[in-house]
Amino acid sequence: MSVLTAQSGTTPAAEEPPDSGERHRLTALTGLAALSLDAMASVAYGPEAIVLVLAAAGGAGVGFTLPVTLAIAGLLAVLVASYRQVIAAFPDGGGSYAVAKRHLGRRTSLVAAASLVLDYVLNVAVAVTAGVAALTSAFPELYGDRLVLCLGVLVLVTAVNLRGILQSAKVFIAPTAVFVVAIFALVAVGLFRDGPVSTAAAEGQADNATTVGALLLLKAFASGCSALTGVEAIANAVPQFRQPRARRAKDAEIALGVLLGLMLIGLSVLISRFGLRPVEGVTVLAQLADASLGHNWAFYVVQFATMTLLALSANTSFGGLPVLLKLLARDNYLPHVFALKADRQVHRHGVLALAVVSAALLVFSGGDTNTLVPLFAIGVFVGFTLAQTGMVLHWHRERGPRWAAKAVLNGLGALLTGVSAIVVTATKFHDGAWLIVVALPLLVLAFETVHRAYANIGERLGIGRVPELPYGDRSLVIVPVGGLSKLTREALNAAVSLGDEVRAVTVTYDEPEDREAAAALLRDWELWNPGVDLVELRSAHRTVGRPVAAYVREVHAHHPGTRVTVLIPEAEPAHLWQRILQNQRGAVVAHAVRRETDAAICRLRFRLA
């Protein structure tokens, strides 16, 4: 017995297709641009979220902005260190899903995956609406068209990502660099000023000081942690990096942590120094730019860079979510189509699915950021907590050098992010966070349903078991025909090659004009004499599928050991638009036979030149 291996062409097995391979993957720099926009853009709303909470206690409360930010920066350092460990331990990507799957069990891993999916989808919607909100703030006449603008930005980002993640990274390097330089310039200039350049920036709410309690500080900490969204994206997308993947991903993660931490601390120092308060219609970042740089061209550069980066920060989700969907599909929790990879290393179906769901969210919210913000960040906190907890178990099981210190670090991170998740959910529950509480178990249930379906399919197909030896049965090929043509001849040629016996069938009706056409076909068939019998199937109703299916059942009843194949000939037009001219009789017959019998169906396409 021998095994034959078919080879196509002369291309070596190791040679990669022209549109795939390492050259379409990320370096540390392009990875930072492609996967960190979400985290970078969060400096536009993270410090503001802190100030909005602390302002309830007046000037005394706002004075705690820097300590709260330092606590968040400390948590950021813990998360960066932890996700560097996740990258090293799980180089196939997946982040909290991969960690939870190995160390916390299957069900918990699905909770982590569901939280990441929700966070990625919401990130796209929030990022796009926030970017468009910045634009409409500068140009109020565009406010009525904000939904159209949001959908336009989404289409642009989707199109760029369908070209490949490396292409999207190259596109986003420039706006990322402009934003980072603008923020550091704002901080540097502000630190050397004796006071705000613009007094309007310092005007705020009345100083109604109240006691600054621990609960208020905890709420401010939890709200400010929205600045940490996106920290996990690099760990989720490790396979997108060039070799050595883990080292490049860890370099990108540490660069993200350093840049984000410095920007958050610098902006918080300026908030405390200038004594800024929330002002309706003016963001805190805009106030800081006004106070540091003055209301001039530099102010507009900061605003434009912020607007651009917010709108494009949706790219983080397009880089991370398709990889996560691929892992879920590989584990049979999502349709396998999400595991397919197109040219340029693009998981096209994941990109398109994310775009469609995000578009639905944009339409639901009407392009309003405030409708979506209460839903944001809860999912990522759940993912953070599960990842940190899983890494504690990882170090306990794997041991190794300094494992105890690493476990303590991850345990502290799990405690902090877990508390943040509870506080954010509780404080924003009535503002829409209940939707996430409902959506998480529903998404897990969907994963389980898909997994059970694949398990049932695998059981019925005998996947994983050695099948019995093949054997030959008598085979009968049935060919539905409606007239004599080249298509009929090609169908009979194929049928004779496939089966031991071939029968052509035609459906006729009792109306006079139909009887005349049927008689003409039977007469022409006898004159042609192709060596195949033509069976007339009379029907009282004008249907073509059910009579064929009934004949197949009759054949099975009289010849139970016969394998029946229904070969349906169809003409394929030369032009795509001409398909609307087809009568779809083949599809009707195939549907009826598939639904009512166990016969095999073969649809023969005859291409028209």
Side-chain angles (χ1 to χ4, degrees):
M1 179 168 45
S2 63
V3 178
L4 302 181
T5 302
Q7 296 183 354
S8 175
T10 58
T11 304
E15 185 176 332
E16 296 178 329
D19 285 331
S20 64
E22 292 298 302
R23 69 188 184 93
H24 288 294
R25 297 184 187 272
L26 300 172
T27 63
L29 178 60
T30 55
L32 186 65
L35 300 171
S36 68
L37 295 183
D38 178 18
M40 293 287 189
S42 67
V43 303
Y45 50 79
E48 183 164 3
I50 299 172
V51 172
L52 287 174
V53 174
L54 294 178
V62 175
F64 280 89
T65 300
L66 181 57
V68 171
T69 303
L70 290 174
I72 293 173
L75 178 57
L76 171 64
V78 172
L79 290 174
V80 169
S82 174
Y83 276 105
R84 279 172 53 85
Q85 296 168 358
V86 171
I87 290 169
F90 298 90
D92 290 334
S96 59
Y97 168 67
V99 177
K101 179 185 173 184
R102 179 179 299 180
H103 297 295
L104 299 177
R106 184 178 62 85
R107 186 64 58 83
T108 305
S109 71
L110 295 182
V111 174
S115 67
L116 284 174
V117 169
L118 291 174
D119 179 63
Y120 276 135
V121 173
L122 285 167
N123 171 60
V124 173
V126 170
V128 170
T129 55
V132 171
L135 176 64
T136 56
S137 297
F139 303 97
E141 62 272 15
L142 297 176
Y143 184 77
D145 299 322
R146 63 189 184 279
L147 177 57
V148 175
L149 292 172
C150 287
L151 294 175
V153 171
L154 178 61
V155 169
L156 174 64
V157 176
T158 303
V160 171
N161 277 276
L162 288 175
R163 293 286 298 166
I165 190 169
L166 179 60
Q167 299 300 320
S168 70
K170 290 179 178 178
V171 170
F172 299 146
I173 284 178
T176 304
V178 170
F179 178 79
V180 172
V181 171
I183 294 299
F184 279 122
L186 183 156
V187 172
V189 173
L191 289 176
F192 289 97
R193 289 202 180 277
D194 295 330
V197 173
S198 173
T199 56
E203 295 177 0
Q205 298 174 345
D207 189 359
N208 297 322
T210 60
T211 303
V212 182
L215 183 59
L216 184 68
L217 293 176
L218 187 61
K219 185 177 179 180
F221 173 81
S223 296
C225 279
S226 60
L228 302 180
T229 58
V231 172
E232 79 291 348
I234 293 175
N236 290 339
V238 177
Q240 301 281 24
F241 285 83
R242 293 180 184 175
Q243 294 285 6
R245 308 198 199 290
R247 182 177 64 79
R248 293 183 188 275
K250 288 196 290 184
D251 290 344
E253 186 74 47
I254 195 68
L256 169 61
V258 170
L259 290 174
L260 181 58
L262 290 176
M263 287 191 290
L264 288 174
I265 294 172
L267 293 176
S268 295
V269 169
L270 294 187
I271 290 173
S272 299
R273 188 171 187 217
F274 294 150
L276 299 185
R277 313 288 174 79
V279 176
E280 186 177 357
V282 182
T283 65
V284 167
L285 186 59
Q287 293 184 61
L288 288 175
D290 203 0
S292 295
L293 305 172
H295 207 78
N296 50 33
W297 65 269
F299 168 83
Y300 287 103
V301 168
V302 173
Q303 288 302 97
F304 182 76
T306 303
M307 176 198 70
T308 303
L309 202 73
L310 277 169
L312 298 182
S313 63
N315 192 70
T316 298
S317 295
F318 282 96
L321 181 60
V323 176
L324 176 62
L325 297 183
K326 179 201 73 173
L327 295 177
L328 288 168
R330 186 191 64 187
D331 295 336
N332 295 332
Y333 292 111
L334 281 179
H336 290 169
V337 69
F338 288 107
L340 299 180
K341 186 180 292 185
D343 293 341
R344 301 177 184 271
Q345 301 296 316
V346 178
H347 295 94
R348 183 172 297 161
H349 295 89
V351 170
L352 293 175
L354 175 58
V356 170
V357 177
S358 301
L361 272 177
L362 291 174
V363 173
F364 165 76
S365 66
D368 181 25
T369 307
N370 294 328
T371 304
L372 298 169
V373 166
L375 311 179
F376 194 44
I378 297 175
V380 76
F381 283 135
V382 173
F384 281 162
T385 304
L386 294 177
Q388 303 286 316
T389 304
M391 288 305 295
V392 172
L393 296 177
H394 173 80
W395 297 124
H396 184 265
R397 293 170 181 172
E398 300 293 331
R399 301 297 173 126
R402 303 178 61 189
W403 71 270
K406 296 176 181 177
V408 169
L409 180 68
N410 293 134
L412 177 62
L415 176 63
L416 294 176
T417 55
V419 170
S420 298
I422 294 172
V423 172
V424 171
T425 303
T427 55
K428 297 183 178 181
F429 188 82
H430 295 291
D431 295 328
W434 62 270
L435 287 173
I436 301 300
V437 177
V438 173
L440 264 175
L442 288 179
L443 199 51
V444 171
L445 179 62
F447 293 155
E448 292 278 22
T449 302
V450 173
H451 191 268
R452 282 196 299 271
Y454 274 124
N456 291 335
I457 293 172
E459 179 65 26
R460 301 186 74 170
L461 292 178
I463 295 177
R465 301 192 299 269
V466 178
E468 297 177 357
L469 294 176
Y471 61 93
D473 282 332
R474 176 179 177 271
S475 60
L476 170 64
V477 181
I478 297 174
V479 183
V481 298
L484 296 185
S485 65
K486 288 184 178 180
L487 182 61
T488 307
R489 186 195 65 185
E490 290 297 324
L492 294 182
N493 286 341
V496 170
S497 302
L498 289 175
D500 300 322
E501 180 183 354
V502 177
R503 297 181 192 175
V505 298
T506 184
V507 180
T508 62
Y509 311 105
D510 292 332
E511 298 180 10
E513 62 273 17
D514 294 317
R515 293 300 309 154
E516 291 178 5
L521 175 60
L522 294 173
R523 184 175 60 254
D524 292 343
W525 193 274
E526 290 182 1
L527 293 174
W528 184 36
N529 191 21
V532 174
D533 293 335
L534 177 61
V535 180
E536 182 182 5
L537 306 177
R538 293 192 176 186
S539 174
H541 305 283
R542 299 194 67 83
T543 177
V544 67
R546 290 181 180 176
V548 176
Y551 182 73
V552 171
R553 291 198 303 270
E554 181 182 343
V555 169
H556 275 305
H558 289 85
H559 306 282
T562 301
R563 293 183 179 272
V564 178
T565 299
V566 179
L567 188 148
I568 304 171
E570 295 177 291
E572 184 174 294
H575 303 288
L576 182 63
W577 68 269
Q578 293 176 337
R579 294 186 181 182
I580 63 175
L581 305 178
Q582 293 179 291
N583 56 25
Q584 305 300 325
R585 289 167 62 93
V588 172
V589 173
H591 176 72
V593 173
R594 181 182 297 109
R595 183 181 59 185
E596 301 178 19
T597 75
D598 293 330
I601 298 172
C602 176
R603 299 179 69 173
L604 176 67
R605 305 282 184 173
F606 181 71
R607 293 187 177 182
L608 303 177

